[in-house]
């Protein structure tokens, strides 16, 4: 059980993440301290993801991917991990888990990065929009949100509750989302949500998304 502390959020509060620019205003010792702080929080993050992977249904998911705390030139302004169903291990859609300065989130997404090396099209993925209403009808939808790929990371997203109850907002969102792709996830916000057990929060989010995610396999077959 891992508590999500404010210190884990705080490392992302800094204005600069580029090593090149950090060197302009920071001493080597200060930069080393920042690196150690980032790496320390990332080690906790990685351990949480490995703990989550161990507690998911046996054989249902491929090996979890935990993104590094640096890309070589920059510190990350968020930490990220991805989970893929074993049956869709080579496909672009996945369940992402992300921590940034504002929130912890577990969400379904179409991964564009290196998408040409995986299977699955955006059109196939977006067919899941037609499944959301039925999927959400049996779910505790508090702190669940939808947004499209082109929205900024820290924008205020559309609450799932509004999406499900307001036909006009649902229609408007769907029309915009199919121009790119949609994301759907559960959030814990830094300002007002305490997460005493990160593993539990993430596992519950993943398990809630599994039925919708599994529908993708059926949608792909329909396109074949």
């Amino acid at each position: 059980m891992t508590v999500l502390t404010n210190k884990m959020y705080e490392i992302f509060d800094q204005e600069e993440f580029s090593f090149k620019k950090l060197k302009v205003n920071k001493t080597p010792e200060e930069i080393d301290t920042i690196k150690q702080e980032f790496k320390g929080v990332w080690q906790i993050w990685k351990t949480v993801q490995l703990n989550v992977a161990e507690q998911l249904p046996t054989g249902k998911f491929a090996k979890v991917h935990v993104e590094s705390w640096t890309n070589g030139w920059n510190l990350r302004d968020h930490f990220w991990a991805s989970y893929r169903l074993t049956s869709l291990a080579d496909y672009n859609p996945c369940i992402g888990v992300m921590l940034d300065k504002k929130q912890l989130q577990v969400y379904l997404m179409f991964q564009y990065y290196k998408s040409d090396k995986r299977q699955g099209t955006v059109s196939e993925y977006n067919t899941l929009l037609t499944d959301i209403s039925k999927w959400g009808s049996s779910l505790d939808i508090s702190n669940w949100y939808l947004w499209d790929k082109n929205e900024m990371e820290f924008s205020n997203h559309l609450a799932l509750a509004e999406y499900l109850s307001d036909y006009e907002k649902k229609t408007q969102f769907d029309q915009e989302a199919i121009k790119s792709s949609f994301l759907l996830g559960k959030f814990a916000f830094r300002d007002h949500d305490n997460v005493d057990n990160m593993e539990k929060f993430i596992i519950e989010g993943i398990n809630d998304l599994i039925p919708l995610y599994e529908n993708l396999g059926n949608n792909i077959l329909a396109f074949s």
Side-chain angles (χ1 to χ4, degrees), residues 59-113:
K60 185 173 283 289
F61 283 87
K63 183 179 179 180
V64 60
H65 169 71
V66 183
E67 190 176 65
S68 176
W69 59 281
T70 172
N71 66 3
W73 298 273
N74 304 283
L75 296 165
R76 304 282 188 186
D77 61 2
H78 61 260
F79 292 153
W80 188 76
S82 62
Y83 296 81
R84 282 182 165 84
L85 290 170
T86 303
S87 59
L88 296 173
D90 297 325
Y91 284 77
N92 287 303
C94 66
I95 293 176
V97 182
M98 186 165 74
L99 177 70
D100 56 37
K101 66 180 181 181
K102 181 182 177 183
Q103 63 233 342
L104 170 65
Q105 51 187 311
V106 183
Y107 56 102
L108 188 65
M109 64 174 289
F110 183 96
Q111 188 177 8
Y112 286 83
Y113 178 64

Side-chain angles (χ1 to χ4, degrees), residues 46-63:
K46 181 179 180 181
T47 298
V48 167
Q49 305 313 316
L50 295 177
N51 290 342
V52 167
E54 286 184 358
Q55 296 176 59
L56 292 174
T58 304
K60 185 173 283 289
F61 283 87
K63 183 179 179 180

Side-chain angles (χ1 to χ4, degrees), residues 139-145 159-161 185-189 201 208:
L139 187 74
D140 177 1
I141 56 177
S142 56
N143 273 26
W144 282 85
Y145 296 86
L160 179 57
K186 180 181 181 179
F187 284 62
F189 295 101
F201 179 88
D208 285 340

Side-chain angles (χ1 to χ4, degrees), residues 40-220:
V41 173
W42 178 82
Q43 291 285 6
I44 297 171
W45 173 255
K46 181 179 180 181
T47 298
V48 167
Q49 305 313 316
L50 295 177
N51 290 342
V52 167
E54 286 184 358
Q55 296 176 59
L56 292 174
T58 304
K60 185 173 283 289
F61 283 87
K63 183 179 179 180
V64 60
H65 169 71
V66 183
E67 190 176 65
S68 176
W69 59 281
T70 172
N71 66 3
W73 298 273
N74 304 283
L75 296 165
R76 304 282 188 186
D77 61 2
H78 61 260
F79 292 153
W80 188 76
S82 62
Y83 296 81
R84 282 182 165 84
L85 290 170
T86 303
S87 59
L88 296 173
D90 297 325
Y91 284 77
N92 287 303
C94 66
I95 293 176
V97 182
M98 186 165 74
L99 177 70
D100 56 37
K101 66 180 181 181
K102 181 182 177 183
Q103 63 233 342
L104 170 65
Q105 51 187 311
V106 183
Y107 56 102
L108 188 65
M109 64 174 289
F110 183 96
Q111 188 177 8
Y112 286 83
Y113 178 64
K114 294 185 177 180
S115 61
D116 58 328
K117 297 182 179 180
R118 293 184 295 266
Q119 301 180 64
T121 67
V122 174
S123 294
E124 291 169 348
Y125 172 77
N126 281 340
T127 60
L128 289 179
L129 284 167
T130 62
D131 300 328
I132 291 176
S133 293
K134 181 179 180 180
W135 165 81
S137 64
S138 60
L139 187 74
D140 177 1
I141 56 177
S142 56
N143 273 26
W144 282 85
Y145 296 86
L146 297 104
W147 64 107
D148 70 60
K149 172 184 171 290
N150 295 325
E151 283 189 49
M152 297 299 291
E153 181 178 335
F154 300 116
S155 298
N156 292 322
H157 303 317
L158 175 64
L160 179 57
E162 289 185 65
Y163 178 87
L164 295 177
S165 63
D166 190 321
Y167 179 78
E168 185 176 338
K169 287 185 177 180
K170 177 184 184 302
T171 302
Q172 183 179 0
F173 177 85
D174 289 353
Q175 289 174 345
E176 287 299 314
I178 60 175
K179 295 176 184 178
S180 53
S181 63
F182 76 94
L183 298 93
L184 167 65
K186 180 181 181 179
F187 284 62
F189 295 101
R190 176 180 181 176
D191 292 341
H192 52 75
D193 293 318
N194 294 321
V195 179
D196 296 326
N197 188 331
M198 290 179 67
E199 287 90 347
K200 182 175 183 288
F201 179 88
I202 295 169
I203 290 168
E204 287 179 349
I206 292 175
N207 283 333
D208 285 340
L209 286 168
I210 285 176
L212 189 61
Y213 189 12
E214 286 182 324
N215 282 352
L216 183 62
N218 297 326
N219 294 345
I220 289 171

